[in-house]
Amino acid sequence: MPTKRVAAWIREHPVAADGALAVLLAAISLIALFVRAAAEHMPRPGPLAVILVLLGTLPLAWRRRHPLWINLGAGAVAAVYGAAPFPDLVTPVAPGGVVALYTMVAWCGRTVSAVVGVLAGVGVAVVALVPATDSDLLDVAFAMLLLAGAWVLGDSARIRRAYTAELEARAELLARERDFEARRAVAAERARIARELHDVVTHHVGMMVVQAEAGPVLAERDPQAAERTFDTIAETGRQAMTEMRRLLGVLREESPQGEGALAPQPGLAQVPELVEQARRSGVPASLEMDGPAGPLPPGVELSAYRIVQEALTNVVKHAGGARVRVRVRHGERDLRIEVCDDGPGSGGGDGLDRHDCDGSDPSGQGADRHGLSERSADGNGSSGHGLVGMRERVQLFGGELTAGARPEGGFAVVARLPIGGGR
């Protein structure tokens, strides 16, 4: 059986393990009793000697449940055995007494351990004065050294166990704090996304109201224009319903600060401004807009803008001086955003293929780079948690996100947002 499995079994079954140790010590002590008696030409040990050996070893099965009392009992039995005209066992002090002292020091406080340790030393000295023991100074010194060694080992075990328990408690506390911070970051980001989608829906509804109020006038003057107006109202209403479904999917408790104006949120039209701001921050940035820039759902445009904003913020903060390329590609069914830099990020390629900034579809969620998941704020309204916010925005529309180091060096954020329809 492997050592780790044995250690785990001992931790899970302490009484059984200590019972096995007690039986083993009892057997060794009884064998030593009869062998030493025969070797020293002493009378065959009687029932009293056997009983004392058993009383000094078998109770060790409960040594960790009652360390102090088991030690006092084993110590008293060891003193009686030492004063009686019986041969020494494996050591000058009965093995049961040595193990009991070690256990008591390991599981009791240092003050109690010091007092009991002194009493054990005094007991050895008193027993040595009994004429029947025929002990000399060397025997007393060896017994004292044996008990001192057991005390030191027990004290080291107690300190090591207390230190391990403290480390485990700290690790558990840090894990709870990390989980709490992650949940709070997700909740805060979802609340912010919900407020932004609320603004989008409000804008749609406002447009519908304006067009509906103008409808009766157009119906009298230009019936064809009125028909187009009502078609626009229907399309706007469908978009509002789509955004409302997404809003209800991520809506959380409002945060204390009341954000949100009734004006539409930024979209792809403002992405060039983000790139220009990055250039002004000292980052050589380029922008490519591929495909027809047709109309997109406002929620998709807003999420695309925020993803580019967070990715550029990460480059400015953590890869200053690196070249960055922003590419926005319009497809028939999706919108693809790529923000790739050649900064000093790890070139191991964790989470990204070589093609991820060159046309392949992203999948999964790659590794985070230094600081990407930390709170970012660049003065453009980006106050979310970088990678957490990106993931939430992409998942909101049923898209895909990859963020990680590139094999050729640098870092990349690649996102795909489906266009049209609810999630």
Side-chain angles (χ1 to χ4, degrees), residues 17 29 45 63 107 114-115 171 174 182-183 196 287 319 333 339 341 368 370 372 418:
S29 299
R63 66 190 181 98
W107 289 91
V115 172
L174 290 175
R183 289 194 299 269
E196 292 174 347
L287 173 64
R333 296 186 177 181
V339 182
D341 68 70
D368 185 13
H370 42 266
L372 185 56

Side-chain angles (χ1 to χ4, degrees), residues 97-312:
V98 177
V99 174
L101 178 64
Y102 164 84
T103 304
M104 186 274 304
V105 176
W107 289 91
C108 295
R110 177 164 288 179
T111 301
V112 175
S113 300
V115 172
V116 175
V118 171
L119 292 178
V122 172
V124 169
V126 171
V127 171
L129 296 176
V130 177
T133 60
D134 194 22
S135 299
D136 55 19
L137 185 60
L138 183 61
D139 294 333
V140 175
F142 184 77
M144 291 285 191
L145 184 62
L146 185 65
L147 293 179
W151 195 98
V152 171
L153 290 177
D155 190 61
S156 299
R158 179 185 60 80
I159 294 174
R160 184 170 59 254
R161 189 176 61 255
Y163 179 70
T164 302
E166 183 179 358
L167 290 181
E168 291 176 351
R170 288 184 180 181
E172 183 179 356
L173 178 61
L174 290 175
R176 287 200 302 267
E177 291 180 352
R178 184 171 58 251
D179 293 342
F180 173 76
E181 288 296 330
R183 289 194 299 269
R184 187 174 67 174
V186 171
E189 192 62 33
R190 287 183 176 179
R192 188 161 75 96
I193 295 173
R195 288 193 297 273
E196 292 174 347
L197 290 178
H198 165 268
D199 296 341
V200 172
V201 173
T202 302
H203 176 69
H204 284 326
V205 174
M207 293 295 296
M208 291 168 58
V209 170
V210 171
Q211 292 168 342
E213 289 177 345
V217 177
L218 291 176
E220 294 179 358
R221 299 180 180 178
D222 189 349
Q224 293 183 349
E227 183 178 352
R228 291 194 299 271
T229 298
F230 286 113
D231 289 341
T232 302
I233 292 175
E235 178 63 25
T236 305
R238 283 191 291 269
Q239 292 182 2
M241 290 298 295
T242 299
E243 302 298 337
M244 182 63 73
R245 283 194 295 269
R246 293 196 179 102
L247 171 63
L248 294 177
V250 299
L251 187 60
R252 295 293 185 269
E253 223 177 281
E254 284 287 339
S255 61
Q257 55 269 35
E259 299 178 10
L262 297 181
Q265 294 289 340
L268 292 179
Q270 286 73 38
V271 169
E273 298 179 9
L274 292 177
V275 176
E276 183 59 31
Q277 290 173 4
R279 292 195 190 105
R280 289 198 298 267
S281 300
V283 175
S286 63
L287 173 64
E288 300 178 23
M289 304 283 285
D290 298 339
L296 296 176
V300 173
E301 287 214 28
L302 173 60
S303 294
Y305 175 88
R306 294 301 188 197
I307 291 171
V308 174
Q309 184 182 50
E310 295 287 2
L312 286 176

Side-chain angles (χ1 to χ4, degrees), residues 6-27:
V6 172
W9 184 86
I10 291 176
R11 286 193 299 268
E12 295 173 0
H13 307 86
V15 176
D18 291 342
L21 174 63
V23 172
L24 179 63
L25 284 178

